[in-house]
Amino acid sequence: MTRAGSLMRIAAAYAIALAVAAAWLAWGPDTRWLWLDTLIADVLATLVVFAASRRYGNSSFYDAYWSVVPPVLLVFWWSQGSLGIDDVRAWLVTVVVMLWAVRLTGNWIYGFPGLQHEDWRYPMLRDQAGRWELLVDLVGIHLVPTVQVFLGMLPVYVVVTRAGRDLGWLDAVALFVGLGAVALELVADVQMHRFVRDRQPGQVMERGLWSWSRHPNYFGEVTFWFSLALFGVAASPEVAWWLFVGVVAMLAMFLGASIPMMEKRSLERRPDYQAVVERVPRFVPRPPRRATE
């Protein structure tokens, strides 16, 4: 299957998924809580994507859903809330979310070779699950990320559905952190693409941002979600105690699952990676340690 044909099939699946979500929101039972109605619609859309993943035998069908849905949630919530179109804080958080979504989706499209390719982690997880592979595919690869992203977007829900406090210094911090996170991820992506294009067999990445962190893209991703939580606190500090649940979920996923899996694979495939592990910080960027003789 060609790359263009693969992208068209994924786009069609997402269009059907969003149509199913919209139908639920328009004609499904009303729970009286907008966030819960939206969560149910999001799960139904995920099930459509899951069905497409199984149809084509490729769970990477889901990958772009991570960055496609947040702007849709934001726009829908804003349209259903009590805020007017002139709310400055809502526009600030919209700018951050849209830039993040365009960058991440664009990066995925740039690197996606077609449905003949699947993220190496997915078949590994399914194989490890044995007879439970269908459940792992549905829950672990599709539903859990959907819930994580939804939790990460809850501060945006707070910002765009009701009037918050006046703009203040925390909004400026949230904007700076959010834009910085998107910029960091963009630079890390560009540096990695250039490295992959020119690398020699077995060579490891330790240039630019990747010399300060072994996973600067993941650090930028967590920082982005942290900026959304800051926007939520700036709008409604009285509910700050639960606004960071999405950030915690993201951090747990990257530090507890994604990074260990990638580290293990890199050590198995690239012997020189051990030297990188010894010198370059794992997650939070900082100057590398000096190489020891």
Side-chain angles (χ1 to χ4, degrees):
M1 186 181 301
T2 65
R3 181 172 180 271
S6 299
L7 290 172
M8 288 179 62
R9 285 167 173 78
I10 292 172
Y14 285 13
I16 295 170
L18 293 177
V20 168
W24 172 267
L25 292 170
W27 299 300
D30 187 354
T31 68
R32 297 186 300 167
W33 291 292
L34 176 62
W35 68 267
L36 182 55
D37 291 331
T38 313
L39 176 59
I40 295 171
D42 196 3
V43 169
L44 291 174
T46 302
L47 293 178
V48 173
V49 177
F50 171 71
S53 295
R54 301 297 292 190
R55 164 66 179 80
Y56 288 95
N58 191 329
S59 296
S60 282
F61 235 90
Y62 178 85
D63 288 350
Y65 192 80
W66 179 281
S67 55
V68 167
V69 167
V72 177
L73 291 175
L74 186 155
V75 171
F76 177 72
W77 286 337
W78 196 351
S79 71
Q80 300 299 304
S82 60
L83 287 186
I85 196 67
D86 59 345
D87 187 87
V88 176
R89 179 181 288 114
W91 277 110
L92 293 179
V93 77
T94 297
V95 167
V96 173
V97 170
M98 292 301 180
L99 288 176
W100 167 84
V102 169
R103 184 214 64 80
L104 188 51
T105 307
N107 184 65
W108 174 80
I109 292 173
Y110 178 83
F112 182 63
L115 285 173
Q116 69 276 11
H117 166 80
E118 184 179 27
D119 188 302
W120 59 270
R121 291 168 290 192
Y122 301 155
M124 183 186 73
L125 290 172
R126 293 195 300 266
D127 290 345
Q128 290 176 347
R131 63 177 180 172
W132 302 103
E133 67 88 14
L134 177 66
L135 186 63
V136 168
D137 195 7
L138 172 61
V139 178
I141 298 176
H142 289 78
L143 289 178
V144 167
T146 288
V147 173
Q148 286 180 307
V149 169
F150 193 88
L151 292 175
M153 285 293 292
L154 286 179
V156 176
Y157 177 85
V158 171
V159 170
V160 302
T161 59
R162 57 190 181 187
R165 296 196 176 187
D166 292 340
L167 284 176
W169 64 270
L170 190 54
D171 293 287
V173 172
L175 180 63
F176 176 80
V177 171
L179 294 179
V182 174
L184 187 150
E185 288 184 284
L186 177 61
V187 172
D189 288 343
V190 171
Q191 290 176 345
M192 180 56 75
H193 288 311
R194 290 175 177 171
F195 169 76
V196 170
R197 181 191 62 198
D198 302 328
R199 70 180 170 185
Q200 301 299 316
Q203 187 177 4
V204 296
M205 176 55 156
E206 49 180 333
R207 306 172 184 171
L209 291 173
W210 300 83
S211 67
W212 283 50
S213 170
R214 302 202 298 274
H215 303 278
N217 52 337
Y218 288 162
F219 176 78
E221 185 70 8
V222 172
T223 304
F224 161 75
W225 295 105
F226 181 73
S227 76
L228 301 188
L230 292 180
F231 274 117
V233 174
S236 299
E238 65 277 6
V239 296
W241 62 273
W242 61 265
L243 291 179
F244 291 90
V245 63
V247 180
V248 173
M250 296 291 176
L251 194 61
M253 179 189 69
F254 288 126
L255 294 183
S258 296
I259 289 178
M261 291 171 68
M262 296 189 73
E263 298 269 274
K264 180 181 178 182
R265 186 170 188 257
S266 293
L267 287 168
E268 291 173 348
R269 291 160 57 94
R270 303 177 181 88
D272 291 343
Y273 191 70
Q274 181 60 46
V276 177
V277 171
E278 294 171 358
R279 294 190 303 102
V280 179
R282 184 187 194 201
F283 186 63
V284 179
R286 63 171 176 77
R289 304 179 185 92
R290 291 180 178 271
T292 57
E293 296 295 339

